Amino acid sequence: MPTQNGKNRRTLAATAKSALRIIQSIPSPKAEPFKQWLAQVGNERIEEIENPELAQTRMRELYRAKGYSDEWIARRERGIAVRDTLTDEWKNVVLKKVKNMLFLLLKSAKQLLVLPQVSIKR
């Protein structure tokens, strides 16, 4: 990896996922609190998948902890909902257009491939 002075140094690096897997495999009592935290966070995410309202509640709590007003949080939630609706609509429109284009393409290809029979005189 490049250093501040521009030299390249050999380093060991890992993605966040790999680093967490490495931490999980450490058989040390000092790593135990971190492992428990990982288990707790994983459990919270599973609960949020089962009940999406928990994720929204957690989002509101995080924004409040960062100092955002309830009005700002409500606007943020509405913005997310509007964006999701809009992207879903775009997907539907694009899908319809692709289906229509495929239909026309297949129809044109069928007409091109079916040649009129010409009688050959001998």
Side-chain angles (χ1 to χ4, degrees):
M1 296 183 102
T3 61
Q4 290 178 348
N5 61 7
K7 293 183 180 179
N8 284 330
R9 301 276 186 220
R10 292 186 67 178
T11 58
L12 295 176
T15 63
K17 183 178 178 180
S18 298
L20 293 172
R21 294 289 294 153
I22 291 167
I23 291 167
Q24 286 178 326
S25 67
I26 298 172
S28 168
K30 291 182 179 180
E32 218 34 56
F34 196 73
K35 289 180 185 180
Q36 289 174 355
W37 174 78
L38 283 174
Q40 177 188 350
V41 170
N43 186 45
E44 289 172 0
R45 295 305 172 271
I46 290 170
E47 289 174 354
E48 289 173 0
I49 290 169
E50 292 172 354
N51 184 1
E53 289 179 13
L54 293 175
Q56 284 187 324
T57 302
R58 185 177 65 86
M59 180 190 71
R60 278 188 225 108
E61 290 171 0
L62 287 171
Y63 281 134
R64 280 191 194 111
K66 289 182 175 187
Y68 291 101
S69 68
D70 288 338
E71 181 183 321
W72 184 92
I73 295 169
R75 282 195 318 249
R76 174 79 173 139
E77 288 176 326
R78 282 193 303 273
I80 291 170
V82 167
R83 184 184 64 222
D84 289 346
T85 303
L86 182 61
T87 55
D88 288 345
E89 186 61 31
W90 285 345
K91 287 177 190 174
N92 290 337
V93 167
V94 168
L95 186 61
K96 286 178 186 175
K97 285 186 178 184
V98 167
K99 284 182 179 179
N100 288 339
M101 289 171 58
L102 284 174
F103 175 76
L104 292 173
L105 180 66
L106 290 174
K107 189 173 181 180
S108 299
K110 188 176 181 181
Q111 288 175 352
L112 288 173
L113 293 175
V114 177
L115 299 175
Q117 294 181 357
V118 179
S119 61
I120 300 173
K121 294 182 180 178
R122 290 190 180 214

